[in-house]
Amino acid sequence: FSSLDTNHDLYLSPEEFKLVAEKLTGSPPAFLSDFEEEVTHDPNGETLTLEAKMQPLQLDTMTKSKDGFLGVTHSSLSGLRSWQSPAVPSMSFSASQFRAFLPPKNKGEVGDTWWVIQSELNIFTGYLPNNRYHPPAPRGKEVLIHSLLSMFHPRPFIKSRFAPQGTVACIRAASDFYLDIVFRIHAEFQLNDVPDFPFWFTPGQFTGNIVLSRDSSHVRQFTLYVPNDRTLNVDMEWLYGATENSNMEVDIGYLPQMELQAAGPSTPSFIQDEEGNIIDSRGGGSDPIQFVFEDIHWTSEISREEAARRLEVTFYPFKKVSYLPFSEAFQRAQEESKLVHSILLWGALDDQSCSGRTLRETVLESSPVLALLNQSFVSSWSLVKELEDMQANKQNPVESQRARLHLENYNFPVEMMVALPNGTIVHHINANYFLDQTSMKPEEEAATFSFSGGFEDPSTATYINFLKEGLEKAKEHLAQ
């Protein structure tokens, strides 16, 4: 039930129940037809022009570049190497198409979040297959997101193979007539086509905001982009075979720019003059008409940072615990006399490996773990590349030492650590080893779950034990 109840309201909506219905009947249920409303183009409405900008991935940031891509076939990277610019530099949309971003009726307050495109990954579905070239036909609100991402590349998959999946939005500000909506998208691109084997290009996230009227007749501004404030922001995976079980290579890299920006507010294509004559506002052979727009005065708002945090918590319930940057986490730990719960990852995404994803889905979102982390730890997650850069920075010897201690205890792909405020690692466990320890044999599953004395699965119990062992080892270390 919990895996299906994605908004944690203890109620399964028809949309959330869809996966069960499809599994039982083998086809989408008819009662969901109302939820798949097509967002159509209004020929008489206002038009918004979006412009796409992109700088290609910097190949020298890929791990494989260090040995000259030794062992990587030329065909594997053909789609990546040839992708140098947006597929569609400019495209016009009807303002009414952006109705897809408007909140549902029960989500009208500033700070409310909701799913624009619902994640469909849970214990029933597993992960989506790797051996695909062309995305499924979008429907309903998916059509707009697909059209937007198609400006970058002709083969966007708006539902990524792994969690996080989907699109979430949040009302950042509101006035009587307008809403400022911040959104976050997790999607990916398939860069290769037959006869080459699949190559998946997965940005860490797409984020942006839209300011539009409550009836979606007018869009004041729109932006969408891949954040570039981290040293690595893209995961890549490619197959060496034509089957799902074929060998796969993985790598990470840095994408300097991928963004969509509105050329200006949406405007009507045709207007009437005082005498009722229809005038082409684009000007035809003369100068286009200049529109003047009223200022928007927000009656209620939250910061962009707070809106982004709420989006993140919707995607990752485990982030109800704050995960601070590396240096800030140790400073906070010193101030509050707590230990640091540190997660060190190899990839560009905080769930880039199978073990990392499973750790998040089965452990870090459980209430007992959240409670213990909030009580006794300051949490942080970092990329290996970031700590390597910190270690090399001799201008800050304290930070360099903390980074070195973490890297010395790191094993691919994800390492969870408990550290003193001075950076000393007192306990650590690798995600793969952790999952091996907590995996259940089929004959053991029935006996594992019990409602007597609470409901706790082996993964949660093991992680709580790991954290408690860290607390005890810290006491022993400090007593020496």
Side-chain angles (χ1 to χ4, degrees):
F1 181 91
S2 297
S3 71
L4 295 169
D5 183 26
T6 55
N7 60 2
H8 309 291
D9 64 352
L10 301 180
Y11 169 80
L12 292 186
S13 67
E15 181 65 27
E16 291 170 330
F17 188 73
K18 181 174 69 170
L19 290 165
V20 176
E22 289 183 351
K23 193 171 186 68
L24 295 175
T25 65
S27 60
F31 67 80
L32 283 170
S33 58
D34 292 341
F35 291 82
E36 297 297 341
E37 175 189 0
E38 291 291 336
V39 182
T40 56
H41 176 82
D42 180 6
N44 298 318
E46 295 189 359
T47 299
L48 182 74
T49 299
L50 298 183
E51 297 174 346
K53 297 180 180 179
M54 172 188 165
Q55 296 179 42
L57 184 104
Q58 295 179 353
L59 295 178
D60 60 358
T61 62
M62 294 176 65
T63 305
K64 300 290 189 297
S65 70
K66 295 179 180 178
D67 58 9
F69 295 99
L70 182 67
V72 180
T73 62
H74 180 76
S75 62
S76 297
L77 302 183
S78 60
L80 177 65
R81 293 182 186 277
S82 63
W83 191 24
Q84 298 293 309
S85 60
V88 183
S90 179
M91 182 183 293
S92 294
F93 294 81
S94 168
S96 62
Q97 291 178 269
F98 291 88
R99 184 168 71 250
F101 283 110
L102 287 176
K105 293 179 181 179
N106 62 336
K107 299 286 185 178
E109 300 297 323
V110 167
D112 281 350
T113 63
W114 66 96
W115 290 90
V116 177
I117 297 178
Q118 181 77 44
S119 173
E120 295 183 352
L121 297 178
N122 58 43
I123 58 174
F124 289 116
T125 62
Y127 304 132
L128 299 182
N130 295 306
N131 190 31
R132 294 179 294 162
Y133 292 95
H134 300 284
R139 56 183 184 175
K141 295 177 181 179
E142 299 171 359
V143 173
L144 175 63
I145 305 301
H146 184 272
S147 297
L148 294 172
L149 299 185
S150 292
M151 294 183 66
F152 298 121
H153 192 278
R155 289 187 297 280
F157 283 71
I158 59 172
K159 291 182 178 177
S160 50
R161 293 161 297 148
F162 306 105
Q165 182 194 75
T167 301
V168 171
C170 174
I171 301 176
R172 192 205 68 79
S175 72
D176 291 341
F177 301 103
Y178 290 94
L179 295 172
D180 183 349
I181 294 172
V182 176
F183 57 87
R184 174 168 169 169
I185 301 169
H186 282 276
E188 54 192 347
F189 300 98
Q190 176 52 246
L191 303 192
N192 282 354
D193 204 346
V194 289
D196 297 328
F197 298 130
F199 184 105
W200 294 94
F201 186 94
T202 311
Q205 63 169 283
F206 298 88
T207 190
N209 82 299
I210 180 171
V211 177
L212 77 169
S213 61
R214 289 178 177 268
D215 63 359
S216 76
S217 62
H218 176 66
V219 177
R220 180 60 60 88
Q221 68 181 53
F222 179 89
T223 183
L224 177 154
Y225 63 95
V226 173
N228 59 3
D229 56 339
R230 300 194 79 108
T231 55
L232 300 165
N233 60 355
V234 176
D235 276 0
M236 289 158 282
E237 299 177 348
W238 59 95
L239 297 178
Y240 279 127
T243 67
E244 188 63 24
N245 296 323
S246 299
N247 290 333
M248 175 180 284
E249 287 274 10
V250 298
D251 210 331
I252 46 182
Y254 180 71
L255 182 72
Q257 182 185 38
M258 179 177 283
E259 65 176 307
L260 299 179
Q261 190 82 31
S266 64
T267 57
S269 299
F270 300 94
I271 60 174
Q272 285 186 330
D273 64 14
E274 296 176 351
E275 299 177 356
N277 298 315
I278 303 297
I279 301 175
D280 186 342
S281 65
R282 294 163 294 187
S286 59
D287 293 333
I289 294 175
Q290 299 298 314
F291 290 89
V292 178
F293 301 95
E294 78 276 15
D295 293 332
I296 299 175
H297 300 286
W298 303 115
T299 56
S300 178
E301 61 182 309
I302 58 176
S303 68
R304 181 68 181 266
E305 292 73 21
E306 174 60 17
R309 187 193 69 80
R310 297 190 183 202
L311 292 176
E312 189 165 47
V313 169
T314 303
F315 274 114
Y316 305 104
F318 78 87
K319 289 198 173 180
K320 292 175 183 176
V321 171
S322 297
Y323 281 74
L324 303 178
F326 188 80
S327 300
E328 187 178 338
F330 283 93
Q331 180 178 347
R332 179 78 62 85
Q334 287 179 329
E335 295 170 353
E336 299 181 2
S337 298
K338 292 183 176 181
L339 301 180
V340 176
H341 165 243
S342 184
I343 301 178
L344 186 54
L345 309 108
W346 176 79
L349 305 180
D350 51 351
D351 63 343
Q352 45 78 41
S353 67
C354 179
S355 55
R357 285 187 290 265
T358 308
L359 172 72
R360 175 182 61 77
E361 293 164 0
T362 60
V363 180
L364 296 179
E365 293 179 5
S366 68
S367 296
V369 173
L370 292 175
L372 183 55
L373 288 175
N374 272 320
Q375 177 183 346
S376 303
F377 297 87
V378 176
S379 294
S380 176
W381 70 267
S382 308
L383 303 179
V384 169
K385 178 65 168 60
E386 292 174 340
L387 294 198
E388 288 175 343
D389 292 342
M390 289 183 189
Q391 182 183 10
N393 181 15
K394 302 307 179 184
Q395 301 299 317
N396 191 335
V398 174
E399 187 176 80
S400 176
Q401 169 76 353
R402 288 172 179 158
R404 181 184 64 79
L405 292 172
H406 273 65
L407 292 170
E408 286 178 351
N409 287 276
Y410 170 78
N411 288 289
F412 180 87
V414 181
E415 194 81 19
M416 295 85 76
M417 309 183 195
V418 175
L420 300 178
N422 65 6
T424 301
I425 307 298
V426 296
H427 199 24
H428 63 98
I429 186 171
N430 184 263
N432 286 344
Y433 176 78
F434 169 81
L435 295 175
D436 288 341
Q437 293 294 105
T438 57
S439 61
M440 295 180 294
K441 299 181 179 66
E443 62 271 15
E444 296 173 346
E445 291 187 16
T448 301
F449 297 94
S450 171
F451 288 96
S452 60
F455 181 78
E456 195 171 87
D457 65 89
S459 298
T460 297
T462 302
Y463 206 79
I464 288 177
N465 190 53
F466 161 69
L467 294 175
K468 288 182 177 179
E469 286 177 355
L471 289 169
E472 289 301 316
K473 291 186 177 184
K475 290 179 183 178
E476 296 171 4
H477 188 91
L478 293 174
Q480 295 176 357

